[in-house]
Amino acid sequence: MENFKGQPRLPKFAVPKRYDLQLKPDLSACKFAGSISIDVDIVAETRFIVLNAAELSINPGSVSFSPRNSSKVFDPKKVELVEEDEILVLDFAEALPLGLGVLAIGFEGILNDRMKGFYRSTYEHNGEKKNMAVTQFEPADARRSFPCWDEPSFKATFKITLDVPSELVALSNMPVIEEKVNGPLKTVSYQESPIMSTYLVAYVVGLFDYVEDHTSDGIKVRVYCQVGKANQGEFALKVAVRTLELYKDYFAVPYPLPKLDMIAIPDFAAGAMENYGLVTYRETALLYDEQHSAAANKQRVATVVAHELAHQWFGNLVTMEWWTHLWLNEGFATWVSYLATDSIFPEWRIWTQFLDELTDGLRLDGLAESHPIEVEINHAAEIDEIFDAISYRKGASVIRMLQSYLGAECFQRSLASYIKKHAYSNAKTEDLWAALEEGSGEPVTKLMNTWTKQKGYPVVSVKFKDQKLEFEQSQFFSSGWLGDGQWIVPITFCCGSYDKKKSFLLQTKSENYDVKEFASDTNKSAWIKLNVDQTGFYRVKYDEELAARLRYAIENKYLTPTDRFGILDDSFALCMARQLPLTSLLTLMGAYREELDYTVLSNLISITYKVGRIAADARPELMDNINQFFINIFQYSAEKLGWDATQGESHLDSMLRGEILTALAMLGHKETLSEASRRFDAFLKDRNTPLLPPDTRKAAYVAVMQTVTSSNRAGFDSLLKIYRETDLSQEKIRILGSLPSCPDQGIIREVLKFSLSPEVRSQDAMYALAVSKEGREVAWTWFKENWDLILKTYGSGFLITRFVSAVVSPFASFEKLKEVEEFFANRSIPSIARTLKQSLERVNINANWVKSIQAEENLGEAIQELAYRKY
Ligand code: BES
Ligand code: ZN
């Protein structure tokens, strides 16, 4: 046999053109039987056909190849399924004739419970537990449902037929063309699809209700959900119809299929999946309940729908050639989902919220263990790990950077021509750059290669000297190292006003810029802000004078929310990298006391959590003052917002209220805790009380958990009761996410145990890992004790990485670093390798940060002053 084993890609001597697939799932026995006829083009002489298959049992007698132009049928002399490479090797003894032929295979498989391939999900109907059959094929699991060329560049058409129980709904990518009922079974056949990649094939079989609408050009759109919940699909339906219309204009190509179905699946590994014409979602990402969903839930639904629908063009119509270019799919869909959401809900100011993506991208990419956007993939098992903040968030951020450099109109025009050129085909990163370069006349490829082919990003230091600004770039690392990577950096800056924006490309290590004409005075109001609007993927380090001017500008409200966000976030990152003393960061944070912008405050909150944790390790004796200072910062906004919504208030205020109150509860703010307890009691008596609407529920739950102890556990038990009662996934998640915010170690142990119990779907367990700082050690011990179970349940998917990072990264000492390394020394599996290295790097960064805070002089005095400052 030729050597097909251990290869990263399938050989290309046979190419599939059309799949005719029949499947018969058995929902009670959790298995399926199938047969497939694949039109294959033999393009180079071969005796072998090699395609993907995994966890299938192939009936060797059913395998045959029939060339189109002869009556001869070729039977393989050997049929071998190589499990470790997930390939099926058919050896035909003699060379197959060039040209088209039909490959027929009969097979059987299992409806697994691992949320990938063809799997089962469970639900209740009229009090009875039931199975549904669902698919999740991205990145490389179609091979678990049928033998196929399971790589994105092997596009083919699909003609699918399902044999299912007559009373069930059976959906696939395309509309039904015929349904033949035959007693308890029916045969449902679907229209043949346009050419598409295997990872986008989908089918779902179960009991569902739906709501339906049409786009202005007649595309039928439906949202399917569990029986009795159809009204919860209305919001997503509206968003989908508008989004389809919008993308049709933006991409200048109509939606390519005759229908779009979107469906909520109770057990689902990712957030949602863009299967062509049949998009699958977690319930939390699709369903919106007027009464019990929060504003944040609504926003999540809108952005996820906008993201998945973007893929119908960017991903499904034009598909990445190989997983190295995954970021094209995910980075782009993430970016464009903001564009769509902004156009439908301008009052959400979603582009300011985009900075959360930017920050998360910068955060991961500040690690030495990061990876370039374009990453080499040598084995299917490596693909899962690149669905990370680099592909999504850095990807989206560099697209935003480029769009802002080229201009919105030129960007859209070039993009439309890219889509047109590569429709029904595949593309690589360089194809996108070529289209944008052609449309703009700018050196896009050269510019963007510096961002996608090397990992990391620069910190641009800026000094004001002799009427000149001196810019210098170095590679930023959260560890404090400065690397020697170089980028072509689109620099923008404003001096004293937003009317005078300057821009240039920093192409070398350093450059000076004369600012005499407009920054001559040394007046404090003459602030200078780089990276205007935070469109660039880099950090900025200002000299002391410039930093002081910016602080003054923040206090006096001269700056936009995006710029306020950027200054804070860069300072936080520099502080962690030990390039800025904690005192300076805290002083800067004090300038945000009257902050009211949702995104800025929400980042300020998460920074207080992180600083609070590190300070508790470094200087526990200062914690009272630090917490007092944090409470001071939030008091202003908390008083403005209160606990009760005002009539017709903004979406952003509704979200902010919840976050501010949650923060105060976490900080142990007395009045917040007692008010929360009063409202929680009212809620226990009446689930519809106006005292505790969905937007403030999490805050109340967290407050309740702050006071729970092993001997005073009523609040905990009440929360478990609500958890058990509700059938709304968002409510369950709200509770799961609040339970670990408890200082009592015994309770945390119970919470963690609960997370792995049958009462928590395995897709949701990681929400319970957000443990309090007191819970860090308990979580680690629990993790070690339950490693085998965790590995068994999550080991074959990407969710296991969440466990590793949640449990490991909070540590902040070199001893723990060593202990964790030792534990994993003989336990690491390929799918967590990268995450583990990243988490260990974070522990190392934290440990060094602790050391430097311990060495910081005058910190105590500074905090004392900040905590007791009178405003
Ligand atoms: N294509 C992904 C789903 C996916 C993720 C498949 C990981 C296989 C592995 C989908 O388009 C997606 O990106 N979903 C996101 C939600 C989105 C709004 C960022 C998700 O699942 O979190
Ligand atoms: Zn996506």
Side-chain angles (χ1 to χ4, degrees), residues 452-636:
T452 62
K453 290 194 188 287
Q454 68 181 333
K455 68 182 176 188
Y457 55 87
V459 51
V460 176
S461 304
V462 51
K463 296 197 179 84
F464 187 40
K465 240 203 234 148
D466 309 328
Q467 311 299 318
K468 282 198 188 74
L469 288 177
E470 287 179 19
F471 300 91
E472 181 176 331
Q473 62 162 315
S474 330
Q475 182 170 12
F476 179 83
F477 285 103
S478 297
S479 62
W481 308 329
L482 289 175
D484 43 36
Q486 293 285 297
W487 286 262
I488 300 181
V489 193
I491 300 274
T492 54
F493 62 98
C494 281
C495 299
S497 125
Y498 283 104
D499 304 335
K500 311 176 193 166
K501 182 164 132 182
K502 299 274 163 188
S503 51
F504 69 97
L505 286 180
L506 178 61
Q507 312 223 31
T508 49
K509 174 96 181 142
S510 62
E511 207 163 306
N512 291 348
Y513 198 104
D514 204 325
V515 289
K516 248 201 302 303
E517 357 125 33
F518 59 102
S520 53
D521 59 46
T522 45
N523 180 339
K524 275 210 161 188
S525 64
W527 50 269
I528 294 177
K529 168 71 177 59
L530 262 74
N531 198 6
V532 181
D533 240 354
Q534 298 300 115
T535 50
F537 194 77
Y538 56 93
R539 302 232 179 248
V540 181
K541 184 177 180 186
Y542 297 95
D543 69 19
E544 268 183 45
E545 166 67 20
L546 293 175
R549 289 187 191 188
L550 283 171
R551 209 161 51 234
Y552 181 85
I554 291 165
E555 275 161 358
N556 289 283
K557 308 194 166 70
Y558 296 151
L559 303 182
T560 57
T562 40
D563 286 336
R564 297 200 296 276
F565 182 107
I567 293 163
L568 175 67
D569 203 59
D570 285 352
S571 303
F572 171 67
L574 289 166
C575 181
M576 182 188 287
R578 294 169 290 138
Q579 297 188 29
L580 188 75
L582 183 56
T583 319
S584 306
L585 175 64
L586 293 173
T587 308
L588 175 68
M589 287 166 79
Y592 290 79
R593 206 184 63 89
E594 295 184 3
E595 182 61 64
L596 285 171
D597 180 84
Y598 167 74
T599 313
V600 180
L601 259 175
S602 137
N603 195 31
L604 188 66
I605 290 169
S606 71
I607 290 174
T608 61
Y609 292 156
K610 292 171 193 159
V611 169
R613 280 182 176 232
I614 218 71
D617 276 326
R619 306 285 297 269
E621 77 286 2
L622 300 182
M623 283 319 289
D624 286 347
N625 280 344
I626 290 184
N627 285 340
Q628 186 55 49
F629 169 56
F630 290 163
I631 289 171
N632 292 348
I633 302 185
F634 299 134
Q635 207 96 46
Y636 181 85

Side-chain angles (χ1 to χ4, degrees), residues 274 307-308 311 329-330 333 392:
E274 70 268 25
H307 176 111
E308 303 313 333
H311 280 312
N329 263 13
E330 299 304 349
Y392 281 77

Side-chain angles (χ1 to χ4, degrees), residues 720-738:
L720 287 178
K721 182 160 179 277
I722 305 169
Y723 179 92
R724 286 170 179 139
E725 240 173 51
T726 184
D727 66 346
L728 184 67
S729 188
Q730 286 155 351
E731 181 70 43
K732 284 195 194 286
I733 300 303
R734 218 149 31 219
I735 296 172
L736 275 179
S738 314

